[in-house]
Amino acid sequence: KNEVEQSPQNLTAQEGEFITINCSYSVGISALHWLQQHPGGGIVSLFMLSSGKKKHGRLIATINIQEKHSSLHITASHPRDSAVYICAVIPTGNQFYFGTGTSLTVIP
Amino acid sequence: DTEVTQTPKHLVMGMTNKKSLKCEQHMGHRAMYWYKQKAKKPPELMFVYSYEKLSINESVPSRFSPECPNSSLLNLHLHALQPEDSALYLCASSQVPWYGYTFGSGTRLTVV
């Protein structure tokens, strides 16, 4: 059983579309991260959330602690957004649990 | 400086070679991590150093040997690796254990 579930696994969008990636988790957490990984590349931390909503440029992340659910939204998607997006949670005082990732392809 | 720098970016080594991966950060982070990532899989934790002491070893084979010479530097020494050890090796650091993570861009290791 995976403590962190992401959906969808794969996503193809046209440039300009609004994109949503969902993350559900089953453990109590102290924080949740959204991570981005380009093909063959390292991981970039996009957001760390423990409550509410954060926005950075065209990216918005929300978390509902009671429902154990988080979403990552990308507005006005662009081909350079094509990457794997990974949700990772940190149970209190414990290590990361990673989701299996959502592979996003944005077509021009 | 807000980066975790990993060198080399790519490494090809034979099964009898000894090599080392290097990870450096100058953010004052006190926890550093090694992860192994196979293609299309999430990263798997290997080692955690907390305040320069090894705090977690996730049952990693002894052919992988971590070293933390100081609070800014983390090495992973490799010896007698197998082809199945080919993967992306990611280093990360955090302000304190598990809080305020920064990942490096990884070393792509191929064992031949």
Side-chain angles (χ1 to χ4, degrees):
Chain A
K1 178 184 175 293
N2 198 2
E3 289 81 2
V4 183
E5 299 282 350
Q6 280 185 241
S7 63
Q9 279 192 306
N10 297 285
L11 181 56
T12 301
Q14 289 292 133
E15 184 173 356
E17 283 185 7
F18 180 84
I19 288 162
T20 296
I21 300 170
N22 294 302
C23 174
S24 296
Y25 53 92
S26 58
V27 296
I29 66 169
S30 59
L32 179 146
H33 285 249
W34 280 103
L35 310 170
Q36 180 194 56
Q37 187 171 31
H38 282 99
I43 291 177
V44 173
S45 180
L46 299 174
F47 296 103
M48 184 174 73
L49 293 162
S50 53
S51 65
K53 177 179 173 178
K54 286 190 176 180
K55 184 174 190 291
H56 185 251
R58 295 180 294 106
L59 302 178
I60 303 166
T62 63
I63 188 167
N64 184 319
I65 297 290
Q66 286 74 29
E67 294 186 6
K68 292 188 165 63
H69 182 268
S70 176
S71 294
L72 176 68
H73 306 285
I74 304 175
T75 62
S77 59
H78 189 277
R80 64 175 173 266
D81 297 326
S82 299
V84 175
Y85 291 85
I86 304 169
C87 171
V89 302
I90 305 176
T92 307
N94 206 331
Q95 63 167 289
F96 267 126
Y97 290 139
F98 290 94
T100 50
T102 295
S103 179
L104 172 65
T105 303
V106 181
I107 300 169
Chain B
D1 188 350
T2 58
E3 288 188 348
V4 172
T5 302
Q6 287 189 243
T7 54
K9 293 204 181 310
H10 300 274
L11 178 63
V12 179
M13 60 185 289
M15 289 189 284
T16 58
N17 291 160
K18 282 187 183 180
K19 297 285 184 184
S20 296
L21 309 184
K22 181 179 170 184
C23 173
E24 202 162 3
Q25 57 85 17
H26 297 287
M27 295 177 280
H29 287 182
R30 302 311 303 272
M32 297 184 78
Y33 313 79
W34 279 116
Y35 285 89
K36 173 183 176 181
Q37 188 180 27
K38 301 286 270 185
K40 299 189 188 300
K41 298 284 188 185
E44 297 172 15
L45 183 66
M46 299 175 72
F47 302 104
V48 181
Y49 273 83
S50 177
Y51 299 91
E52 295 147 61
K53 289 185 171 24
L54 183 64
S55 61
I56 294 178
N57 175 342
E58 289 288 333
S59 303
V60 179
S62 60
R63 58 186 184 267
F64 296 91
S65 174
E67 180 198 18
C68 189
N70 58 61
S71 60
S72 299
L73 187 56
L74 183 66
N75 297 318
L76 185 63
H77 303 297
L78 314 172
H79 173 55
L81 294 194
Q82 304 296 311
E84 59 264 28
D85 296 321
S86 299
L88 180 69
Y89 288 84
L90 291 160
C91 175
S93 70
S94 65
Q95 296 165 10
V96 292
W98 313 112
Y99 183 82
Y101 246 64
T102 302
F103 281 90
S105 56
T107 294
R108 175 72 59 188
L109 174 68
T110 304
V111 181
V112 297

